[in-house]
Amino acid sequence: MSRRSSFHPLMDPDSTITGQHWRIGIISDSLLRLEWSDSGNFEDEMTQIVVNRNWDAKPHYTYTVEDDRLIVDTAKMHLVYDKKPFSKEGLSVTVKNVPITHNNTWHYQDIQEGNLLGTRRTLDGVNGEAPLDPGVASFDGWAILDDSRSNEVIPSTHSSQSTTNPFGTIRPRANSDVDLYIFGYGHRYKEAVQDFYRLCGPTPLIPRFTLGNWWSRYYPYSADEYLRLMDRFNAEGIPLAVGVLDMDWHLTDIDTKYGSGWTGYTWNQELFPDHADFLKELHKRNIRTTLNVHPRDGIRPFEQGYAKAAKSMGLDPKNEKTIDFDLTNPDFVHAYLDLHHDLEDEGVDFWWLDWQQGGVTRQKGLDPLWILNYLHYLDSSRRGTRALTFSRYAGPGSHRYPIGFSGDTVISWKSLNFQPYFTATASNIGYGWWSHDIGGHMFGYRDEELEARWYQLGVFSPINRLHSTDSSFNSKEPWNYHPEIMQSMVRALRLRHRLIPYLYTMNWRAAIEGLPIVEPMYWDNPETSAAYKVRNQYMFGSELMVSPITEPQSHDVQKAHTDVWFPQGIWFDFFDGARYEAKSAQGRYMQVWRGLDRIPVFAKAGAIIPMQKLQTGSGNINDTDNPVDLDILVFPGASNHFTILEDSGCESPQASDAASTSITTLWSNEDGKLTELRIAGAKGNLAALPTERNWTIRFRGVTKGTCRVIVDGNDRAATIDYDEATETLSISVKKIPASSTIRILPSKDRPIIIASKSVVSESFAVLRDAQIAYTTLEEAYSIIKDEKGGSMASLMSVGEVDKASGCDQETGASPVIPQAVLSALTEVLTRAR
């Protein structure tokens, strides 16, 4: 945003039709810009939302005038306009070739009833559902992006005004009373979002460390307490990457003449007697630090940085006059950022901008949250580090300033149930890097099962940040919970850290291809009605599908369930390799049951997921650098290609700064055997990679086959193991140069093929946990063994003969198998049929 040459705000005159008070821009065959100006002047500058109106590909269109009506046609849209002030009767756009819906024509000021929604500013105080703002994807085929009220953004290299701040001028727009963008993409939702990025700027790469686990709590830690806590995590084998210090890092108990202690920039010396050393100690532990700031009350006389700030603004510090918070004043911007620079020089890595005080500044239409995000993000790279801020959503275009803080979450199952849907729909407005209060922040109630499920959601969320308030009973350390819950939490946090190579590749995908890491299911399945019904289910990157559990478990089966819709094809349980098949083009619904150890996560047939090993025992468990030890999880069923993308963490990486390592698998369509796995030698920026790597390739859901390992054309000794429980064949080779090519060739006599799990043993596992009469358990298990996966009709009839005699005298249990147990058995017995 600071370099005008990066974008092209001026529309192509060859794709613009202009009248005295109106202007129509054809940006693409699916994207139109409609302007009305009483003055006859139009907006040609960048705005807070839109930065690029002239694309490389020139649109093809025709226009004619019939009966004083302007008619514009592209391959995708048909516009009719009476050339008068915009009205419902005089301006319409029809999106062509939109199936199912009858509402594919937009009239000016129509309500966007078919909009698939975007996101909202905050979830503060929300317990469950909350209204969402529109996105650019719509079931009706059209969506409206209104840019009529946002300010102009004039970069400093272009502006001639003397009052520019270091990042240019933000000024109220003088032109265009109405400035609308009509997204007419039909059901091509991915393309709509990708073109939203072209129009409004791409999502930048976030630093690699942000993809690990974050620890946050609103609590007055001392330096020693915080470091001991970090060491306890390390001793427990739980990796952390970011330490968040809420507002108690600074002075909060201040003289009331200065107002409240909510705003502050001076370290609390009682808690942090040597804060610079404290920050160094965190860095030694490979933990980055962010500090919470509420900047509303400006810079007050009790602050250590007050005198310097006052002098820079031409004020006498002796007068002890509060420097009011005003980001429309360039002098204040300079003093304000300089105050933060001094703190950054002591070791602060980035800032948590916790603005909660409304949307009014002294400049018309300028949201203080937006300008905070804009200035802090651009300023954050001043030391040659990658730009980063952590703040709330300030409307369309906020994706340019990640990462997002979704607000103070109420602790409840309702809140948990809303978060997956909330995260997925945010992608419809290009907002891909949400950070939620994982585990919930405040109010609510203690429920250990709820906490475990929230941790599991956090693993498969864009950012995984644990957070809680200062209640003595509400802290998220896993060891504060009962053993089974603790084990579930620890597994989740370890898995998240191990997934960083996959997550970082998806980070590159988001920046280059314009595809957020979380995608609603209807993006790839727009004409399948079932895809719109599974609100909480989503794709997580290119390889994984997630359906979090957001309801308590059933007593009868001791598991919880979620309704999963499987798109057509073969899917594998990420954790144990169990196969699920959806043969119909409409896909398949199943009720999927899971214990506290995991949630339903599925890999597509042929999926390749790069992971890293935890460096336990070495003191580097928190390390987020490009790993020496790579662990590649591979699923059978289809040939695939995956390219791992890594870089050196430079400030503004381009594609040429990446190191790419391509992995290809070939599976036979005829008999499902693995033909070859090839890891091509890394290309590109090899300096970003370790000189040598240790590789483990894990084929999950396969038989115990054998193979040759060839490195650069020579046979290489390898360690080969097989885990029966997850049907995983692991092949490990060590000290392989990053530029070397690895080939795995299965033997002909013992091939690597899809395994078939025993429905009998898995049914036994379900029945073992079922809380029902022992005689019923024995009868059901006998049917499953005798009928080898049996007849659901036979299982449903269990106990019917004895039903009239009533419940078990001792336990009160019915002899009939409860519905929850039948459903869990149905999943096991029918998933691969």
Side-chain angles (χ1 to χ4, degrees), residues 1-10 46 50-56 155 157-158 197-202 378 400 652 654:
M1 288 290 292
S2 61
R3 291 177 296 183
R4 186 178 181 82
S5 60
S6 300
F7 302 108
H8 304 283
L10 187 64
M46 295 191 298
V50 175
V51 299
N52 186 23
R53 305 184 185 99
N54 190 346
W55 300 354
D56 293 335
T157 56
H158 176 72
Y197 287 135
R198 295 180 71 184
L199 179 73
C200 301
L378 295 183
R400 297 190 301 260
S652 302
Q654 306 298 315

Side-chain angles (χ1 to χ4, degrees), residues 471-483:
S471 166
S472 301
F473 302 98
N474 180 14
S475 187
K476 297 299 188 290
E477 296 95 332
W479 51 86
N480 287 340
Y481 296 83
H482 288 88

